[in-house]
Amino acid sequence: ALQQAWSDGERLYASDGRRLLAVDTPMGGSKDALLAVSSEGKTAPADEKLPTAHERTVAILEAADKATSLGPVSAEELFRIANRAKAMLGENTTVSLWKKGNKLYAQYKEAEIGEFQQGGKPPKDAAYLGAYDYNYLRDAASTARRLGTENPDVAVVPIGDGTALVLRGDKWRSVT
């Protein structure tokens, strides 16, 4: 679950340190006076550590906004892929994703059980989206649907040594 939420007067942000959601819904505050937002929607002045986290968040979102769109992805299909990975391999399952056109390809591996593919073998020219924890994929797909977007735009941004999956709707962005 996203553990920390705050507002800068323009957007509502939520993060758990590995995932980020930004919704274009102001809940008070300003860039100079951030407000922490509780799970009940109550606001209070943010603690002194939050401005540093907010700066990192804004930098990640700027990179996400500049990332080249790979087109829409079905939130329902992404949710199904994540659930199938868990059903077949259990907890702590990583899902590798590729996309070509409107089709998603998924691969899950487990040393003792083997390798599974969904959507067939990815074509050589399919865009590699990265490898992600199934929980994070399921949560991102679920969030997209809860925010009214069945086919969010997808992009990938480099972060550190890896990549982050970006799902974008009209007034929100999710970075996994």
Side-chain angles (χ1 to χ4, degrees):
L2 299 175
Q3 301 161 345
Q4 186 175 32
W6 68 95
S7 176
D8 67 359
E10 293 179 17
R11 290 187 184 94
L12 175 64
Y13 302 89
S15 179
D16 65 0
R18 300 189 93 169
R19 298 174 286 176
L20 168 65
L21 175 65
V23 182
D24 295 343
T25 300
M27 299 248 337
S30 69
K31 292 183 192 301
D32 296 324
L34 302 173
L35 285 181
V37 181
S38 73
S39 59
E40 295 83 32
K42 295 180 181 176
T43 59
D47 69 36
E48 65 276 354
K49 295 178 187 174
L50 194 54
T52 302
H54 181 68
E55 288 174 19
R56 277 196 315 268
T57 298
V58 169
I60 290 168
L61 286 173
E62 286 174 354
D65 287 345
K66 293 176 185 173
T68 302
S69 170
L70 298 172
V73 64
S74 165
E76 180 181 347
E77 184 177 7
L78 195 57
F79 191 82
R80 252 188 278 127
I81 286 170
N83 281 339
R84 183 168 184 222
K86 181 186 184 253
M88 297 189 79
L89 300 177
E91 298 294 327
N92 303 319
T93 298
T94 299
V95 180
S96 295
L97 293 172
W98 291 262
K99 184 177 188 301
K100 182 173 181 184
N102 289 328
K103 185 165 178 157
L104 274 178
Y105 301 87
Q107 184 178 68
Y108 349 106
K109 291 181 183 179
E110 209 287 322
E112 295 179 21
I113 298 174
E115 178 180 297
F116 299 92
Q117 293 178 340
Q118 189 166 331
K121 185 174 181 174
K124 291 185 190 282
D125 60 345
Y128 180 63
L129 303 181
Y132 305 96
D133 180 287
Y134 87 92
N135 281 304
Y136 296 164
L137 291 178
R138 185 181 60 202
D139 289 351
S142 179
T143 297
R145 296 181 86 188
R146 275 190 248 136
L147 291 172
T149 308
E150 291 295 326
N151 296 294
D153 180 63
V154 66
V156 176
V157 295
I159 293 187
D161 294 337
T163 59
L165 184 70
V166 179
L167 297 182
R168 299 183 277 217
D170 286 338
K171 296 191 176 263
W172 63 271
R173 279 152 344 282
S174 169
V175 181
T176 299

